[in-house]
């Protein structure tokens, strides 16, 4: 089984995903907002009613589905009309999660297009539509992975519950579960580490001063205001399902 | 027209591509070499005789071809059996290059699989085949872009030739052209900047010491031994064509 699916590796996977997220956001930030990329129908009927971003995301998911990406419990598609895998399925016999259909990618896509893009990209249109959409796909996929990894975090907490979590689970109370899984000190450590990394990774771009890149505080804010809260929302959904079984 | 196609922006494009190349190599380096990904037929007949890496590269190019990626003069496909664009073609009326069919992606793919992968990844197999192949596609595409950008570099030099280049072009002599376009001082500056950036971008990964990442000296070596020479080979091919018109 992949190391990424071991409960013992949850923390390491989350830390390593920080690099991937920051890289992806920096790459997208080199292009302007490019509103036409997110406007369904802007390019006529050729994209089947989708925006360019949606079209390229679906095309990517269709090819990745063929090589069984979405059979892995840490992967979640944005689209449901995907082809069957053409490779033999892996066992995932040690999948640590309980069966579940939790998938908040619709929310993630809206958040990304409506809220995050204007934060990370300068306003305007540079006509780099294809390049921007390729970056969007990378951003959306890694944000989805990081946020849905809450399932693994939740399973880990379920297996070694604090007394507060045990009580909350016994009452199947979402608010109590949310309070029990929240650890402000740990969240502060994550935010400090992300700030540090984002600072490091934007240093060189700013040194060469070719064009402004995304500010470290923006990346930290995205973690604080959306990635961490949405990850915790997934945890609560998963734990409610877990304790009802 | 895209800024990326303006001759005046050649240097800035090359500098910004350094980030994309370094990020892509670092992302691939988190997985092991995973030889099965590059073995045609390893996954049976489902991939049409291709390796998993080749299959995913072709799938990606097929979807990007639909949104006209390879109609842009700075993009070069690895595969030739690609669908027609479904979006209306852009004019590229200010395409600064002369018509040409220079494409050394076959060499780039061999180089990547046989030489670069063992340099950037630790030996072994972690079964992260899909994730590795996704990273491979990103690496191959940005290496191809950087190397073929030699066409724009060459066009820029053709428009403002040094006396040595004028002589070399008049004689249509590949060796003389190679000598005339070679500027050791500029190459040293590129290598210094890449070393600096690679050091910065691997700092955080090493700080958290989750797993070893690619060493900055490896990335510099890839630039010195392959990216710069292959870029120059493209320049020479383009200039030979340019001066024969």
């Amino acid at each position: 089984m992949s190391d990424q699916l071991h409960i013992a590796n949850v923390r390491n996977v989350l830390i390593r995903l920080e690099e991937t997220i920051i890289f992806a956001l920096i790459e997208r930030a080199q292009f302007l907002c490019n509103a036409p990329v997110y406007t369904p129908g802007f390019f006529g009927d050729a994209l089947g009613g989708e925006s360019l971003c949606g079209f390229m995301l679906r095309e990517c998911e269709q090819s990745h589905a063929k090589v069984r990406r979405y059979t892995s419990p840490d992967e979640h598609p944005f689209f449901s009309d995907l082809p069957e895998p053409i490779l033999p399925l892996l066992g995932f016999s040690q999948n640590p999660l309980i069966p579940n259909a939790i998938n908040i990618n619709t929310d993630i896509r809206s958040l990304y297009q409506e809220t995050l893009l204007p934060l990370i990209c300068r306003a305007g249109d540079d006509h780099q539509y294809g390049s921007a959409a390729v970056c969007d796909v990378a951003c959306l996929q890694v944000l989805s992975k990081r946020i849905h990894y809450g399932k693994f975090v939740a399973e880990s907490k379920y297996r070694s519950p604090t007394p507060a979590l045990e009580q909350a689970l016994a009452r199947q109370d979402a608010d109590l579960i949310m309070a029990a899984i929240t650890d402000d000190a740990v969240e502060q450590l994550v935010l400090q580490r992300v700030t540090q990394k984002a600072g490091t990774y934007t240093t060189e771009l700013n040194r060469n001063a070719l064009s402004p890149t995304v500010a470290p505080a923006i990346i930290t804010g995205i973690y604080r205001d959306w990635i961490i809260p949405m990850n915790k929302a997934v945890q609560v959904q998963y734990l409610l399902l877990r304790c009802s079984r």
Side-chain angles (χ1 to χ4, degrees), chain A:
Chain A
M1 187 173 70
S2 159
D3 284 351
Q4 298 212 8
L5 303 180
H6 279 296
I7 288 295
N9 287 335
V10 166
R11 183 168 172 275
N12 288 353
V13 171
L14 292 178
I15 292 176
R16 182 60 184 78
L17 281 174
E18 290 162 5
E19 262 71 27
T20 307
I21 290 173
I22 296 169
F23 289 173
L25 296 176
I26 289 174
E27 289 291 78
R28 179 60 184 86
Q30 68 188 306
F31 308 110
L32 301 184
C33 274
N34 288 332
V37 173
Y38 314 96
T39 308
F42 185 88
F43 295 96
D45 297 332
L47 305 184
E50 265 291 348
S51 67
L52 181 62
C53 173
F55 177 81
M56 293 190 73
L57 180 60
R58 191 177 60 204
E59 289 272 316
C60 182
E61 292 202 335
Q62 285 177 333
S63 68
H64 289 188
K66 292 184 199 168
V67 296
R68 69 190 172 201
R69 177 172 185 159
Y70 304 106
T71 63
S72 183
D74 60 341
E75 295 286 353
H76 301 75
F78 286 79
F79 290 88
S80 52
D81 55 339
L82 298 177
E84 292 298 312
I86 59 175
L87 296 183
L89 291 183
L90 296 173
F92 294 121
S93 56
Q94 294 171 283
N95 175 6
L97 304 183
I98 60 164
N100 71 87
I102 299 165
N103 182 329
I104 62 167
N105 275 339
T106 303
D107 295 338
I108 293 172
R109 188 172 163 195
S110 300
L111 168 78
Y112 177 75
Q113 294 184 183
E114 292 156 23
T115 306
L116 303 191
L117 267 178
L119 287 173
I120 59 179
C121 299
R122 287 160 291 147
D125 191 322
D126 56 21
H127 297 276
Q128 302 269 38
Y129 301 147
S131 301
V134 168
C135 292
D136 290 328
V137 171
C139 287
L140 285 163
Q141 289 182 327
V142 69
L143 288 170
S144 171
K145 182 158 188 166
R146 172 63 172 79
I147 289 167
H148 286 102
Y149 221 78
K151 297 181 186 181
F152 290 80
V153 177
E155 179 65 30
S156 172
K157 291 176 179 171
Y158 183 87
R159 294 185 187 189
S160 306
T162 59
L165 182 58
E166 275 189 334
Q167 284 183 2
L169 290 171
R171 292 168 67 173
Q172 303 195 23
D173 182 305
D175 291 339
L176 288 179
I177 294 174
M178 179 60 89
I181 61 165
T182 297
D183 186 331
D184 287 334
V186 167
E187 289 180 18
Q188 286 308 312
L189 280 177
V190 171
L191 294 176
Q192 283 170 23
R193 198 173 54 234
V194 168
T195 305
Q196 158 84 32
K197 288 184 182 183
T200 301
Y201 295 135
T202 54
T203 296
E204 290 299 331
L205 286 164
N206 290 327
R207 189 195 309 274
N208 291 295
L210 300 180
S211 62
T213 184
V214 58
I218 297 286
I219 297 176
T220 309
I222 290 173
Y223 256 84
R224 181 190 62 232
D225 297 338
W226 292 288
I227 294 177
I228 291 176
M230 290 177 94
N231 177 279
K232 287 161 65 180
V234 168
Q235 290 185 48
V236 171
Q237 280 192 48
Y238 180 87
L239 286 167
L240 280 170
L241 191 69
R242 188 73 166 92
C243 68
S244 68
R245 291 290 168 89

